[in-house]
Amino acid sequence: MRIRRLDKETRADLLENLLKRSPGNYRQYEKTVAEILERVRTEKDAALFEYTARFDGAEIHEGNIRVTEDEKKEAYEAAGEELVRIIRRALANIRSYHEKQRQYSWFDSKPDGTLLGQKVTPLRRVGVYVPGGKAAYPSSVLMNIAPAKAAGVDEIIMVTPPDRDGKINPHTLVAACEAGADVIYKVGGAQAVGALAYGTESIPKVDKIVGPGNIYVALAKRAVYGHVSIDAIAGPSEILVIADETANPRYVAADLLSQAEHDELASAILVTTSEELAKEVSKQTDLFLQELSRADIIRKSLDNYGYILIADTMEDAVDTANEIASEHLEIMTKDPYDIMTRIRNAGAIFLGEYASEPLGDYFAGPNHVLPTNGTAKFFSPLSVDDFIKKSSMIGYSKEGLRKVHEDIEAFAEAEHLTAHANSIKVRFE
């Protein structure tokens, strides 16, 4: 991995380079996505089936688009008892964590008859997109469905692309069944997003679409936002490690590579105050690359977006981490909890040498659907909050309104909204 001294110029170049990975920089795909969405909106199932045949090579029709109970049983047999057991253990942790995020309605009443409050309501129907293609990620199925279930969503619809035989990856299917998906459809890509957003003869319209996907899926979600809600536009995976001289270089190298193997656009960055650690981590990455199965992808990722930055002080390291606002942030220092208190921007924070990023991906419980491309400055991980909506509650008695009606009328008059003022006045004629 390349080693650089951290300074203002290096930081500026790094940020500019990382931002090139944003889905907003892939405008050349927008026209294709718009055409797909328009055809699905107008032609519905007919367009859905045609695109599935073209892009996935599967003959899907109204009779087989929905996953059957027999297909679910086959998936459990193919997955095996051991994987099912692991999925259930991970799901228990994920459920427990997200159940603590539940919010409840509240009301505040006063003796004069004034009542204010907030009504919390789960979304009625949510669509969960699950990628297929090169790899299947049952962990993402759990992470997207579990918070929706904890929130109390009435109906969870999952879509995922089939293989050429019209089958769904058995691990994905088992995870969906365990997590509580109500209906599963064999369709993927931008066409699946369109089906969830507009509805077709086979797939009902949803209120919100969540879940990661390729650039076509990301652009499709952005295009339908406003017609339905979405979680976020996911970018390539990324990790940033803050480490000092006490860190284990082998652990650091292994964790950096765990994200670099996702794809060529993934980012892996180490910021350290130790030049010796920097050199040793670079050596360890080379050693790991000799034995890892996705070495070619990792090399391209590190060549494009892999950095080891040597900072003069830990304050400089923390400032850089806050500026990058990484999806995953690991802190491997003598006192990681002290550093954590100074972190303002990160999707998920991992503390100490035994809290490696894959722990969060699979098992710990917090959601692994995290803000990317610097959006951790203003976005949060997927949570129960994403599957509820809130309504304000206002109730006043005549006595309560009498105390404030003149102020309201004056305010309305100041804005030249006389009908507003009149609406209050008529109650005291």
Side-chain angles (χ1 to χ4, degrees):
M1 290 181 68
R2 77 194 90 180
I3 300 176
R4 292 186 180 177
R5 179 66 60 177
L6 180 61
D7 53 31
K8 290 183 179 180
E9 184 178 348
T10 301
R11 186 187 299 182
D13 290 344
L14 172 60
L15 291 171
E16 182 181 359
N17 194 32
L18 292 177
L19 289 174
K20 292 177 182 177
R21 308 175 312 139
S22 168
N25 290 326
Y26 294 89
R27 301 288 176 87
Q28 66 268 34
Y29 302 110
E30 288 181 346
K31 183 178 179 181
T32 299
V33 169
E35 291 173 354
I36 292 172
L37 292 176
E38 180 58 20
R39 282 200 59 196
V40 172
R41 187 184 71 82
T42 56
E43 301 175 32
K44 301 187 181 300
D45 271 357
L48 208 58
F49 301 151
E50 180 185 327
Y51 283 126
T52 302
R54 185 193 305 181
F55 298 137
D56 300 307
E59 294 300 323
I60 298 298
H61 50 77
E62 63 276 5
N64 69 355
I65 189 173
R66 180 170 173 165
V67 171
T68 65
E69 291 302 315
D70 286 341
E71 288 174 312
K72 293 176 184 178
K73 291 178 182 177
E74 291 176 9
Y76 273 84
E77 292 174 0
E81 292 182 3
E82 180 63 14
L83 181 62
V84 173
R85 182 186 66 81
I86 292 171
I87 287 174
R88 287 173 178 169
R89 288 183 62 191
L91 182 58
N93 293 339
I94 297 166
R95 279 176 174 161
S96 176
Y97 181 87
H98 287 87
E99 284 169 357
K100 292 179 175 66
Q101 296 177 334
R102 285 176 177 159
Q103 294 194 41
Y104 300 93
S105 301
W106 59 268
F107 303 92
D108 182 19
S109 59
K110 297 180 180 179
D112 64 2
T114 300
L115 183 147
L116 301 176
Q118 182 173 270
K119 184 176 183 293
V120 175
T121 307
L123 301 184
R124 185 172 67 91
R125 182 185 290 140
V126 167
V128 175
Y129 186 93
V130 176
K134 297 179 181 178
Y137 298 106
S139 58
S140 286
V141 178
L142 305 182
M143 293 293 183
N144 280 277
I145 295 179
K149 294 293 286 187
V153 172
D154 293 339
E155 185 178 10
I156 299 173
I157 294 174
M158 192 180 99
V159 294
T160 189
D163 62 20
R164 291 186 174 274
D165 296 323
K167 300 289 186 180
I168 302 300
N169 180 280
H171 299 170
T172 297
L173 196 47
V174 168
C177 294
E178 290 294 324
D182 294 294
V183 190
I184 304 164
Y185 292 102
K186 305 171 187 175
V187 60
Q191 61 271 22
V193 175
L196 293 172
Y198 306 126
T200 72
E201 294 90 345
S202 297
I203 300 178
K205 180 186 182 302
V206 302
D207 300 313
K208 185 166 187 171
I209 302 171
V210 301
N214 62 19
I215 187 62
Y216 294 97
V217 171
L219 292 176
K221 285 171 67 177
R222 188 173 70 179
V224 301
Y225 176 65
H227 193 74
V228 295
S229 180
I230 63 171
D231 49 354
I233 306 298
S237 188
E238 54 200 31
I239 185 172
L240 188 147
V241 179
I242 296 178
D244 60 16
E245 71 283 354
T246 67
N248 185 316
R250 190 166 173 81
Y251 294 173
V252 175
D255 293 356
L256 292 171
L257 300 184
S258 73
Q259 290 307 290
E261 76 169 340
H262 272 294
D263 61 56
E264 293 88 345
L265 294 176
S267 169
I269 300 170
L270 166 64
V271 186
T272 180
T273 51
S274 170
E275 186 171 348
E276 182 180 349
L277 178 76
K279 293 176 180 178
E280 189 58 35
V281 168
S282 183
K283 291 178 183 178
Q284 290 295 328
T285 59
D286 291 338
L287 292 174
F288 278 126
L289 283 171
Q290 297 174 20
E291 58 188 63
L292 294 172
S293 61
R294 294 168 68 88
D296 289 342
I297 292 174
I298 294 173
R299 286 191 181 92
K300 291 178 181 177
S301 170
L302 296 181
D303 288 345
N304 292 325
Y305 304 106
Y307 296 87
I308 296 176
L309 304 175
I310 302 174
D312 291 332
T313 66
M314 189 55 68
E315 286 71 23
D316 289 339
V318 170
D319 288 345
T320 300
N322 281 326
E323 189 65 27
I324 293 173
S326 185
E327 177 188 19
H328 306 99
L329 173 65
E330 291 189 0
I331 304 175
M332 294 193 195
T333 60
K334 184 177 182 180
D335 187 354
Y337 294 92
D338 172 64
I339 302 299
M340 178 270 294
T341 62
R342 292 183 262 164
I343 296 299
R344 190 179 187 90
N345 304 320
I349 303 172
F350 300 79
L351 301 167
E353 62 182 5
Y354 292 104
S356 63
E357 188 279 333
L359 173 67
D361 269 354
Y362 297 112
F363 219 79
N367 211 288
H368 78 198
V369 181
L370 303 167
T372 58
N373 276 103
T375 59
K377 291 179 179 179
F378 44 83
F379 280 145
S380 303
L382 191 73
S383 71
V384 167
D385 291 350
D386 288 285
F387 299 98
I388 61 172
K389 59 190 181 69
K390 302 169 185 176
S391 302
S392 301
M393 305 291 290
I394 303 171
Y396 264 62
S397 65
K398 186 171 185 178
E399 179 187 352
L401 185 60
R402 186 186 303 279
K403 297 176 181 178
V404 297
H405 80 95
E406 292 181 350
D407 290 342
I408 300 170
E409 292 164 19
F411 216 144
E413 294 284 358
E415 294 187 349
H416 306 291
L417 297 176
T418 54
H420 278 62
N422 186 61
S423 173
I424 300 295
K425 283 180 182 178
V426 296
R427 286 166 166 76
F428 297 95
E429 290 176 343

